[in-house]
PDB file of all heavy atoms in Angstrom:
ATOM      1  N   PRO A 230      13.590  16.400  -1.928  1.00  0.00           N
ATOM      2  CA  PRO A 230      12.962  16.242  -0.646  1.00  0.00           C
ATOM      3  C   PRO A 230      11.433  16.357  -0.641  1.00  0.00           C
ATOM      4  O   PRO A 230      10.819  15.563   0.013  1.00  0.00           O
ATOM      5  CB  PRO A 230      13.589  17.465   0.114  1.00  0.00           C
ATOM      6  CG  PRO A 230      14.844  17.811  -0.436  1.00  0.00           C
ATOM      7  CD  PRO A 230      14.589  17.523  -1.933  1.00  0.00           C
ATOM      8  N   ALA A 231      10.947  17.133  -1.589  1.00  0.00           N
ATOM      9  CA  ALA A 231       9.423  17.227  -1.727  1.00  0.00           C
ATOM     10  C   ALA A 231       8.769  15.916  -2.226  1.00  0.00           C
ATOM     11  O   ALA A 231       7.517  15.715  -2.082  1.00  0.00           O
ATOM     12  CB  ALA A 231       9.042  18.335  -2.639  1.00  0.00           C
ATOM     13  N   ASP A 232       9.644  15.042  -2.841  1.00  0.00           N
ATOM     14  CA  ASP A 232       9.049  13.801  -3.493  1.00  0.00           C
ATOM     15  C   ASP A 232       9.107  12.626  -2.377  1.00  0.00           C
ATOM     16  O   ASP A 232       8.458  11.644  -2.629  1.00  0.00           O
ATOM     17  CB  ASP A 232       9.876  13.357  -4.589  1.00  0.00           C
ATOM     18  CG  ASP A 232       9.733  14.403  -5.863  1.00  0.00           C
ATOM     19  OD1 ASP A 232       8.683  15.059  -5.864  1.00  0.00           O
ATOM     20  OD2 ASP A 232      10.537  14.367  -6.739  1.00  0.00           O
ATOM     21  N   LEU A 233       9.749  12.939  -1.192  1.00  0.00           N
ATOM     22  CA  LEU A 233       9.869  11.888  -0.191  1.00  0.00           C
ATOM     23  C   LEU A 233       8.540  11.933   0.637  1.00  0.00           C
ATOM     24  O   LEU A 233       8.156  12.970   1.043  1.00  0.00           O
ATOM     25  CB  LEU A 233      11.165  12.087   0.685  1.00  0.00           C
ATOM     26  CG  LEU A 233      12.449  11.984  -0.164  1.00  0.00           C
ATOM     27  CD1 LEU A 233      13.616  12.354   0.783  1.00  0.00           C
ATOM     28  CD2 LEU A 233      12.678  10.614  -0.728  1.00  0.00           C
ATOM     29  N   PRO A 234       8.062  10.708   0.946  1.00  0.00           N
ATOM     30  CA  PRO A 234       6.792  10.777   1.817  1.00  0.00           C
ATOM     31  C   PRO A 234       7.159  11.198   3.350  1.00  0.00           C
ATOM     32  O   PRO A 234       8.289  10.860   3.807  1.00  0.00           O
ATOM     33  CB  PRO A 234       6.326   9.330   1.756  1.00  0.00           C
ATOM     34  CG  PRO A 234       7.650   8.557   1.460  1.00  0.00           C
ATOM     35  CD  PRO A 234       8.578   9.531   0.561  1.00  0.00           C
ATOM     36  N   VAL A 235       6.247  11.698   3.916  1.00  0.00           N
ATOM     37  CA  VAL A 235       6.282  12.099   5.320  1.00  0.00           C
ATOM     38  C   VAL A 235       6.243  10.742   6.004  1.00  0.00           C
ATOM     39  O   VAL A 235       5.272   9.944   5.769  1.00  0.00           O
ATOM     40  CB  VAL A 235       5.309  13.065   5.763  1.00  0.00           C
ATOM     41  CG1 VAL A 235       5.277  13.326   7.340  1.00  0.00           C
ATOM     42  CG2 VAL A 235       5.493  14.443   5.060  1.00  0.00           C
ATOM     43  N   GLN A 236       6.940  10.530   7.022  1.00  0.00           N
ATOM     44  CA  GLN A 236       6.776   9.224   7.769  1.00  0.00           C
ATOM     45  C   GLN A 236       6.607   9.495   9.287  1.00  0.00           C
ATOM     46  O   GLN A 236       7.090  10.409   9.866  1.00  0.00           O
ATOM     47  CB  GLN A 236       8.149   8.388   7.713  1.00  0.00           C
ATOM     48  CG  GLN A 236       8.442   7.906   6.292  1.00  0.00           C
ATOM     49  CD  GLN A 236       9.685   6.995   6.313  1.00  0.00           C
ATOM     50  OE1 GLN A 236      10.035   6.453   7.271  1.00  0.00           O
ATOM     51  NE2 GLN A 236      10.151   6.842   5.074  1.00  0.00           N
ATOM     52  N   ALA A 237       5.764   8.614   9.775  1.00  0.00           N
ATOM     53  CA  ALA A 237       5.515   8.555  11.346  1.00  0.00           C
ATOM     54  C   ALA A 237       6.361   7.573  11.930  1.00  0.00           C
ATOM     55  O   ALA A 237       6.661   6.516  11.284  1.00  0.00           O
ATOM     56  CB  ALA A 237       4.046   8.361  11.561  1.00  0.00           C
ATOM     57  N   PRO A 238       6.537   7.657  13.193  1.00  0.00           N
ATOM     58  CA  PRO A 238       7.258   6.641  13.959  1.00  0.00           C
ATOM     59  C   PRO A 238       6.450   5.260  13.801  1.00  0.00           C
ATOM     60  O   PRO A 238       5.289   5.197  13.779  1.00  0.00           O
ATOM     61  CB  PRO A 238       7.266   7.020  15.324  1.00  0.00           C
ATOM     62  CG  PRO A 238       7.001   8.434  15.315  1.00  0.00           C
ATOM     63  CD  PRO A 238       6.240   8.731  14.069  1.00  0.00           C
ATOM     64  N   THR A 239       7.191   4.194  13.654  1.00  0.00           N
ATOM     65  CA  THR A 239       6.716   2.886  13.436  1.00  0.00           C
ATOM     66  C   THR A 239       7.018   1.943  14.538  1.00  0.00           C
ATOM     67  O   THR A 239       6.361   0.870  14.809  1.00  0.00           O
ATOM     68  CB  THR A 239       7.094   2.202  12.083  1.00  0.00           C
ATOM     69  OG1 THR A 239       8.467   2.150  12.121  1.00  0.00           O
ATOM     70  CG2 THR A 239       6.447   2.901  10.995  1.00  0.00           C
ATOM     71  N   LYS A 240       8.094   2.175  15.327  1.00  0.00           N
ATOM     72  CA  LYS A 240       8.619   1.486  16.400  1.00  0.00           C
ATOM     73  C   LYS A 240       8.564   2.046  17.645  1.00  0.00           C
ATOM     74  O   LYS A 240       8.964   3.134  17.863  1.00  0.00           O
ATOM     75  CB  LYS A 240      10.084   0.993  16.159  1.00  0.00           C
ATOM     76  CG  LYS A 240      10.678   0.004  17.110  1.00  0.00           C
ATOM     77  CD  LYS A 240      11.938  -0.383  16.744  1.00  0.00           C
ATOM     78  CE  LYS A 240      12.575  -1.336  17.801  1.00  0.00           C
ATOM     79  NZ  LYS A 240      14.028  -1.659  17.544  1.00  0.00           N
ATOM     80  N   TYR A 241       7.746   1.489  18.617  1.00  0.00           N
ATOM     81  CA  TYR A 241       7.536   1.984  19.912  1.00  0.00           C
ATOM     82  C   TYR A 241       8.117   1.059  20.948  1.00  0.00           C
ATOM     83  O   TYR A 241       8.144  -0.161  20.713  1.00  0.00           O
ATOM     84  CB  TYR A 241       6.053   2.207  20.197  1.00  0.00           C
ATOM     85  CG  TYR A 241       5.464   3.419  19.369  1.00  0.00           C
ATOM     86  CD1 TYR A 241       5.063   3.068  18.098  1.00  0.00           C
ATOM     87  CD2 TYR A 241       5.386   4.656  19.917  1.00  0.00           C
ATOM     88  CE1 TYR A 241       4.566   4.089  17.214  1.00  0.00           C
ATOM     89  CE2 TYR A 241       4.860   5.659  19.131  1.00  0.00           C
ATOM     90  CZ  TYR A 241       4.425   5.466  17.850  1.00  0.00           C
ATOM     91  OH  TYR A 241       4.015   6.440  17.157  1.00  0.00           O
ATOM     92  N   GLU A 242       8.690   1.589  22.140  1.00  0.00           N
ATOM     93  CA  GLU A 242       9.351   0.717  22.984  1.00  0.00           C
ATOM     94  C   GLU A 242       8.675   0.902  24.482  1.00  0.00           C
ATOM     95  O   GLU A 242       8.981   1.959  25.008  1.00  0.00           O
ATOM     96  CB  GLU A 242      10.831   0.981  22.992  1.00  0.00           C
ATOM     97  CG  GLU A 242      11.331   2.395  23.149  1.00  0.00           C
ATOM     98  CD  GLU A 242      12.689   2.581  22.958  1.00  0.00           C
ATOM     99  OE1 GLU A 242      13.510   1.536  22.835  1.00  0.00           O
ATOM    100  OE2 GLU A 242      13.211   3.673  23.119  1.00  0.00           O
ATOM    101  N   PRO A 243       8.002   0.059  24.950  1.00  0.00           N
ATOM    102  CA  PRO A 243       7.542   0.010  26.286  1.00  0.00           C
ATOM    103  C   PRO A 243       8.616  -0.288  27.274  1.00  0.00           C
ATOM    104  O   PRO A 243       9.201  -1.355  27.044  1.00  0.00           O
ATOM    105  CB  PRO A 243       6.283  -0.899  26.353  1.00  0.00           C
ATOM    106  CG  PRO A 243       6.471  -1.808  25.247  1.00  0.00           C
ATOM    107  CD  PRO A 243       7.360  -1.120  24.252  1.00  0.00           C
ATOM    108  N   VAL A 244       8.870   0.423  28.315  1.00  0.00           N
ATOM    109  CA  VAL A 244       9.859   0.175  29.357  1.00  0.00           C
ATOM    110  C   VAL A 244       9.179   0.239  30.697  1.00  0.00           C
ATOM    111  O   VAL A 244       8.391   1.145  30.919  1.00  0.00           O
ATOM    112  CB  VAL A 244      11.017   1.131  29.372  1.00  0.00           C
ATOM    113  CG1 VAL A 244      11.962   0.873  30.354  1.00  0.00           C
ATOM    114  CG2 VAL A 244      11.659   1.066  28.041  1.00  0.00           C
ATOM    115  N   ILE A 245       9.425  -0.765  31.597  1.00  0.00           N
ATOM    116  CA  ILE A 245       8.801  -0.842  32.869  1.00  0.00           C
ATOM    117  C   ILE A 245       9.940  -0.801  33.942  1.00  0.00           C
ATOM    118  O   ILE A 245      10.780  -1.706  33.721  1.00  0.00           O
ATOM    119  CB  ILE A 245       7.820  -2.046  32.977  1.00  0.00           C
ATOM    120  CG1 ILE A 245       6.687  -1.909  31.949  1.00  0.00           C
ATOM    121  CG2 ILE A 245       7.275  -2.153  34.522  1.00  0.00           C
ATOM    122  CD1 ILE A 245       5.741  -3.090  31.894  1.00  0.00           C
ATOM    123  N   ASN A 246       9.819  -0.051  34.914  1.00  0.00           N
ATOM    124  CA  ASN A 246      10.873   0.036  36.045  1.00  0.00           C
ATOM    125  C   ASN A 246      10.100  -0.639  37.193  1.00  0.00           C
ATOM    126  O   ASN A 246       9.328  -0.165  37.960  1.00  0.00           O
ATOM    127  CB  ASN A 246      11.224   1.476  36.353  1.00  0.00           C
ATOM    128  CG  ASN A 246      12.382   1.584  37.322  1.00  0.00           C
ATOM    129  OD1 ASN A 246      12.528   0.704  38.190  1.00  0.00           O
ATOM    130  ND2 ASN A 246      13.314   2.429  36.986  1.00  0.00           N
ATOM    131  N   LEU A 247      10.524  -1.864  37.486  1.00  0.00           N
ATOM    132  CA  LEU A 247       9.938  -2.730  38.522  1.00  0.00           C
ATOM    133  C   LEU A 247      10.411  -2.213  39.890  1.00  0.00           C
ATOM    134  O   LEU A 247       9.663  -2.343  40.881  1.00  0.00           O
ATOM    135  CB  LEU A 247      10.306  -4.192  38.406  1.00  0.00           C
ATOM    136  CG  LEU A 247       9.387  -4.972  37.363  1.00  0.00           C
ATOM    137  CD1 LEU A 247       9.852  -6.498  37.366  1.00  0.00           C
ATOM    138  CD2 LEU A 247       7.970  -4.834  37.746  1.00  0.00           C
ATOM    139  N   ARG A 248      11.719  -1.681  39.862  1.00  0.00           N
ATOM    140  CA  ARG A 248      12.160  -1.150  41.288  1.00  0.00           C
ATOM    141  C   ARG A 248      11.238   0.037  41.723  1.00  0.00           C
ATOM    142  O   ARG A 248      10.813   0.130  42.830  1.00  0.00           O
ATOM    143  CB  ARG A 248      13.518  -0.515  41.161  1.00  0.00           C
ATOM    144  CG  ARG A 248      14.573  -1.707  41.165  1.00  0.00           C
ATOM    145  CD  ARG A 248      15.992  -1.020  41.001  1.00  0.00           C
ATOM    146  NE  ARG A 248      16.139  -0.383  39.601  1.00  0.00           N
ATOM    147  CZ  ARG A 248      17.187   0.161  39.148  1.00  0.00           C
ATOM    148  NH1 ARG A 248      18.336   0.082  39.792  1.00  0.00           N
ATOM    149  NH2 ARG A 248      17.205   0.600  37.903  1.00  0.00           N
ATOM    150  N   THR A 249      10.894   0.824  40.697  1.00  0.00           N
ATOM    151  CA  THR A 249       9.856   2.086  41.006  1.00  0.00           C
ATOM    152  C   THR A 249       8.556   1.551  41.356  1.00  0.00           C
ATOM    153  O   THR A 249       7.930   1.883  42.397  1.00  0.00           O
ATOM    154  CB  THR A 249       9.871   2.946  39.864  1.00  0.00           C
ATOM    155  OG1 THR A 249      11.120   3.448  39.548  1.00  0.00           O
ATOM    156  CG2 THR A 249       8.940   4.102  40.183  1.00  0.00           C
ATOM    157  N   ALA A 250       8.047   0.494  40.741  1.00  0.00           N
ATOM    158  CA  ALA A 250       6.735  -0.188  41.003  1.00  0.00           C
ATOM    159  C   ALA A 250       6.777  -0.757  42.367  1.00  0.00           C
ATOM    160  O   ALA A 250       5.798  -0.517  43.172  1.00  0.00           O
ATOM    161  CB  ALA A 250       6.414  -1.231  39.991  1.00  0.00           C
ATOM    162  N   LYS A 251       7.833  -1.446  42.751  1.00  0.00           N
ATOM    163  CA  LYS A 251       7.919  -2.026  44.157  1.00  0.00           C
ATOM    164  C   LYS A 251       7.946  -0.996  45.219  1.00  0.00           C
ATOM    165  O   LYS A 251       7.387  -1.077  46.239  1.00  0.00           O
ATOM    166  CB  LYS A 251       9.180  -3.008  44.214  1.00  0.00           C
ATOM    167  CG  LYS A 251       8.785  -4.308  43.406  1.00  0.00           C
ATOM    168  CD  LYS A 251      10.090  -5.251  43.438  1.00  0.00           C
ATOM    169  CE  LYS A 251       9.897  -6.397  42.607  1.00  0.00           C
ATOM    170  NZ  LYS A 251      11.118  -7.135  42.475  1.00  0.00           N
ATOM    171  N   ALA A 252       8.717   0.054  45.083  1.00  0.00           N
ATOM    172  CA  ALA A 252       8.792   1.142  45.911  1.00  0.00           C
ATOM    173  C   ALA A 252       7.469   1.857  46.147  1.00  0.00           C
ATOM    174  O   ALA A 252       7.110   2.400  47.184  1.00  0.00           O
ATOM    175  CB  ALA A 252       9.853   2.195  45.396  1.00  0.00           C
ATOM    176  N   MET A 253       6.638   1.926  45.077  1.00  0.00           N
ATOM    177  CA  MET A 253       5.343   2.468  45.105  1.00  0.00           C
ATOM    178  C   MET A 253       4.319   1.525  45.596  1.00  0.00           C
ATOM    179  O   MET A 253       3.124   1.982  45.778  1.00  0.00           O
ATOM    180  CB  MET A 253       4.955   3.119  43.759  1.00  0.00           C
ATOM    181  CG  MET A 253       5.779   4.156  43.286  1.00  0.00           C
ATOM    182  SD  MET A 253       5.379   4.669  41.624  1.00  0.00           S
ATOM    183  CE  MET A 253       3.964   5.789  42.005  1.00  0.00           C
ATOM    184  N   GLY A 254       4.694   0.298  45.772  1.00  0.00           N
ATOM    185  CA  GLY A 254       3.667  -0.750  46.338  1.00  0.00           C
ATOM    186  C   GLY A 254       2.674  -1.175  45.113  1.00  0.00           C
ATOM    187  O   GLY A 254       1.589  -1.581  45.427  1.00  0.00           O
ATOM    188  N   LEU A 255       3.164  -1.081  43.997  1.00  0.00           N
ATOM    189  CA  LEU A 255       2.382  -1.469  42.783  1.00  0.00           C
ATOM    190  C   LEU A 255       2.737  -2.896  42.304  1.00  0.00           C
ATOM    191  O   LEU A 255       3.931  -3.093  42.254  1.00  0.00           O
ATOM    192  CB  LEU A 255       2.477  -0.488  41.716  1.00  0.00           C
ATOM    193  CG  LEU A 255       1.956   0.972  42.024  1.00  0.00           C
ATOM    194  CD1 LEU A 255       2.364   1.836  40.789  1.00  0.00           C
ATOM    195  CD2 LEU A 255       0.528   1.069  42.226  1.00  0.00           C
ATOM    196  N   GLU A 256       1.841  -3.540  41.926  1.00  0.00           N
ATOM    197  CA  GLU A 256       2.110  -5.014  41.273  1.00  0.00           C
ATOM    198  C   GLU A 256       1.754  -4.805  39.739  1.00  0.00           C
ATOM    199  O   GLU A 256       0.720  -4.429  39.344  1.00  0.00           O
ATOM    200  CB  GLU A 256       1.275  -6.015  41.779  1.00  0.00           C
ATOM    201  CG  GLU A 256       1.606  -7.274  41.279  1.00  0.00           C
ATOM    202  CD  GLU A 256       0.902  -8.482  42.028  1.00  0.00           C
ATOM    203  OE1 GLU A 256       0.626  -8.399  43.285  1.00  0.00           O
ATOM    204  OE2 GLU A 256       0.536  -9.472  41.325  1.00  0.00           O
ATOM    205  N   VAL A 257       2.804  -5.089  38.985  1.00  0.00           N
ATOM    206  CA  VAL A 257       2.680  -5.025  37.400  1.00  0.00           C
ATOM    207  C   VAL A 257       2.182  -6.318  36.988  1.00  0.00           C
ATOM    208  O   VAL A 257       2.872  -7.248  37.301  1.00  0.00           O
ATOM    209  CB  VAL A 257       4.022  -4.507  36.872  1.00  0.00           C
ATOM    210  CG1 VAL A 257       3.848  -4.433  35.272  1.00  0.00           C
ATOM    211  CG2 VAL A 257       4.429  -3.171  37.477  1.00  0.00           C
ATOM    212  N   PRO A 258       1.062  -6.316  36.248  1.00  0.00           N
ATOM    213  CA  PRO A 258       0.581  -7.661  35.749  1.00  0.00           C
ATOM    214  C   PRO A 258       1.625  -8.304  34.840  1.00  0.00           C
ATOM    215  O   PRO A 258       2.253  -7.636  34.051  1.00  0.00           O
ATOM    216  CB  PRO A 258      -0.689  -7.206  34.919  1.00  0.00           C
ATOM    217  CG  PRO A 258      -1.029  -5.778  35.433  1.00  0.00           C
ATOM    218  CD  PRO A 258       0.203  -5.093  35.893  1.00  0.00           C
ATOM    219  N   PRO A 259       1.756  -9.599  34.883  1.00  0.00           N
ATOM    220  CA  PRO A 259       2.602 -10.388  34.030  1.00  0.00           C
ATOM    221  C   PRO A 259       2.368 -10.212  32.561  1.00  0.00           C
ATOM    222  O   PRO A 259       3.320 -10.211  31.772  1.00  0.00           O
ATOM    223  CB  PRO A 259       2.348 -11.848  34.426  1.00  0.00           C
ATOM    224  CG  PRO A 259       1.662 -11.761  35.744  1.00  0.00           C
ATOM    225  CD  PRO A 259       0.978 -10.456  35.822  1.00  0.00           C
ATOM    226  N   THR A 260       1.160  -9.869  32.088  1.00  0.00           N
ATOM    227  CA  THR A 260       0.922  -9.662  30.700  1.00  0.00           C
ATOM    228  C   THR A 260       1.532  -8.386  30.185  1.00  0.00           C
ATOM    229  O   THR A 260       2.109  -8.301  29.098  1.00  0.00           O
ATOM    230  CB  THR A 260      -0.630  -9.699  30.346  1.00  0.00           C
ATOM    231  OG1 THR A 260      -1.230  -8.721  31.268  1.00  0.00           O
ATOM    232  CG2 THR A 260      -1.205 -11.070  30.581  1.00  0.00           C
ATOM    233  N   LEU A 261       1.557  -7.443  31.061  1.00  0.00           N
ATOM    234  CA  LEU A 261       2.123  -6.134  30.789  1.00  0.00           C
ATOM    235  C   LEU A 261       3.672  -6.344  30.777  1.00  0.00           C
ATOM    236  O   LEU A 261       4.303  -5.833  29.814  1.00  0.00           O
ATOM    237  CB  LEU A 261       1.752  -5.033  31.814  1.00  0.00           C
ATOM    238  CG  LEU A 261       2.280  -3.572  31.444  1.00  0.00           C
ATOM    239  CD1 LEU A 261       1.734  -3.137  30.098  1.00  0.00           C
ATOM    240  CD2 LEU A 261       1.711  -2.634  32.614  1.00  0.00           C
ATOM    241  N   LEU A 262       4.183  -7.000  31.694  1.00  0.00           N
ATOM    242  CA  LEU A 262       5.811  -7.296  31.686  1.00  0.00           C
ATOM    243  C   LEU A 262       6.131  -8.053  30.415  1.00  0.00           C
ATOM    244  O   LEU A 262       7.229  -7.775  29.916  1.00  0.00           O
ATOM    245  CB  LEU A 262       6.041  -8.082  33.005  1.00  0.00           C
ATOM    246  CG  LEU A 262       6.003  -7.284  34.303  1.00  0.00           C
ATOM    247  CD1 LEU A 262       6.159  -8.220  35.456  1.00  0.00           C
ATOM    248  CD2 LEU A 262       6.924  -6.179  34.338  1.00  0.00           C
ATOM    249  N   ALA A 263       5.434  -8.956  30.031  1.00  0.00           N
ATOM    250  CA  ALA A 263       5.636  -9.765  28.809  1.00  0.00           C
ATOM    251  C   ALA A 263       5.706  -8.834  27.513  1.00  0.00           C
ATOM    252  O   ALA A 263       6.438  -9.060  26.572  1.00  0.00           O
ATOM    253  CB  ALA A 263       4.610 -10.821  28.653  1.00  0.00           C
ATOM    254  N   ARG A 264       4.998  -7.794  27.440  1.00  0.00           N
ATOM    255  CA  ARG A 264       4.936  -6.867  26.312  1.00  0.00           C
ATOM    256  C   ARG A 264       6.025  -5.846  26.280  1.00  0.00           C
ATOM    257  O   ARG A 264       6.282  -5.158  25.421  1.00  0.00           O
ATOM    258  CB  ARG A 264       3.481  -6.184  26.285  1.00  0.00           C
ATOM    259  CG  ARG A 264       2.468  -7.228  26.136  1.00  0.00           C
ATOM    260  CD  ARG A 264       1.158  -6.677  25.610  1.00  0.00           C
ATOM    261  NE  ARG A 264       1.219  -6.489  24.216  1.00  0.00           N
ATOM    262  CZ  ARG A 264       0.361  -5.823  23.508  1.00  0.00           C
ATOM    263  NH1 ARG A 264      -0.769  -5.385  24.144  1.00  0.00           N
ATOM    264  NH2 ARG A 264       0.509  -5.747  22.272  1.00  0.00           N
ATOM    265  N   ALA A 265       6.648  -5.647  27.396  1.00  0.00           N
ATOM    266  CA  ALA A 265       7.741  -4.639  27.543  1.00  0.00           C
ATOM    267  C   ALA A 265       8.951  -5.033  26.853  1.00  0.00           C
ATOM    268  O   ALA A 265       9.495  -6.123  26.771  1.00  0.00           O
ATOM    269  CB  ALA A 265       8.065  -4.487  29.060  1.00  0.00           C
ATOM    270  N   ASP A 266       9.608  -4.024  26.197  1.00  0.00           N
ATOM    271  CA  ASP A 266      10.801  -4.165  25.605  1.00  0.00           C
ATOM    272  C   ASP A 266      12.100  -4.324  26.528  1.00  0.00           C
ATOM    273  O   ASP A 266      13.066  -5.007  26.193  1.00  0.00           O
ATOM    274  CB  ASP A 266      11.138  -3.120  24.474  1.00  0.00           C
ATOM    275  CG  ASP A 266      10.347  -3.148  23.240  1.00  0.00           C
ATOM    276  OD1 ASP A 266       9.617  -4.128  22.980  1.00  0.00           O
ATOM    277  OD2 ASP A 266      10.452  -2.242  22.438  1.00  0.00           O
ATOM    278  N   GLU A 267      11.739  -3.648  27.646  1.00  0.00           N
ATOM    279  CA  GLU A 267      12.807  -3.766  28.697  1.00  0.00           C
ATOM    280  C   GLU A 267      12.127  -3.564  30.007  1.00  0.00           C
ATOM    281  O   GLU A 267      11.194  -2.798  30.195  1.00  0.00           O
ATOM    282  CB  GLU A 267      13.891  -2.521  28.555  1.00  0.00           C
ATOM    283  CG  GLU A 267      14.825  -2.578  29.585  1.00  0.00           C
ATOM    284  CD  GLU A 267      15.879  -1.436  29.428  1.00  0.00           C
ATOM    285  OE1 GLU A 267      15.652  -0.643  28.471  1.00  0.00           O
ATOM    286  OE2 GLU A 267      16.808  -1.101  30.249  1.00  0.00           O
ATOM    287  N   VAL A 268      12.654  -4.467  31.006  1.00  0.00           N
ATOM    288  CA  VAL A 268      12.052  -4.472  32.275  1.00  0.00           C
ATOM    289  C   VAL A 268      13.213  -4.151  33.264  1.00  0.00           C
ATOM    290  O   VAL A 268      14.255  -4.903  33.204  1.00  0.00           O
ATOM    291  CB  VAL A 268      11.411  -5.704  32.723  1.00  0.00           C
ATOM    292  CG1 VAL A 268      11.027  -5.758  34.308  1.00  0.00           C
ATOM    293  CG2 VAL A 268      10.263  -6.150  31.814  1.00  0.00           C
ATOM    294  N   ILE A 269      13.252  -3.068  33.983  1.00  0.00           N
ATOM    295  CA  ILE A 269      14.325  -2.653  34.808  1.00  0.00           C
ATOM    296  C   ILE A 269      14.077  -3.196  36.178  1.00  0.00           C
ATOM    297  O   ILE A 269      12.999  -2.904  36.900  1.00  0.00           O
ATOM    298  CB  ILE A 269      14.406  -1.116  34.871  1.00  0.00           C
ATOM    299  CG1 ILE A 269      14.810  -0.662  33.407  1.00  0.00           C
ATOM    300  CG2 ILE A 269      15.624  -0.688  35.816  1.00  0.00           C
ATOM    301  CD1 ILE A 269      14.662   0.944  33.434  1.00  0.00           C
TER     302      ILE A 269
END
């Protein structure tokens, strides 16, 4: 185990909840939506 390198996370997942955004009266820019892994 001491010979194995320490690793940091490499995969991040952006998730946007459009239902919540609409309920809050927020408009999410299309460029941000395009970068999301999941849009609810």
Side-chain angles (χ1 to χ4, degrees):
D232 293 339
L233 298 174
V235 174
Q236 294 187 18
T239 58
K240 185 177 179 189
Y241 291 82
E242 52 182 3
V244 176
I245 299 171
N246 191 320
L247 279 181
R248 283 182 294 190
T249 301
K251 289 177 186 174
M253 296 175 81
L255 298 173
E256 186 175 324
V257 180
T260 53
L261 187 58
L262 289 172
R264 299 195 80 185
D266 284 350
E267 181 178 357
V268 176
I269 300 168

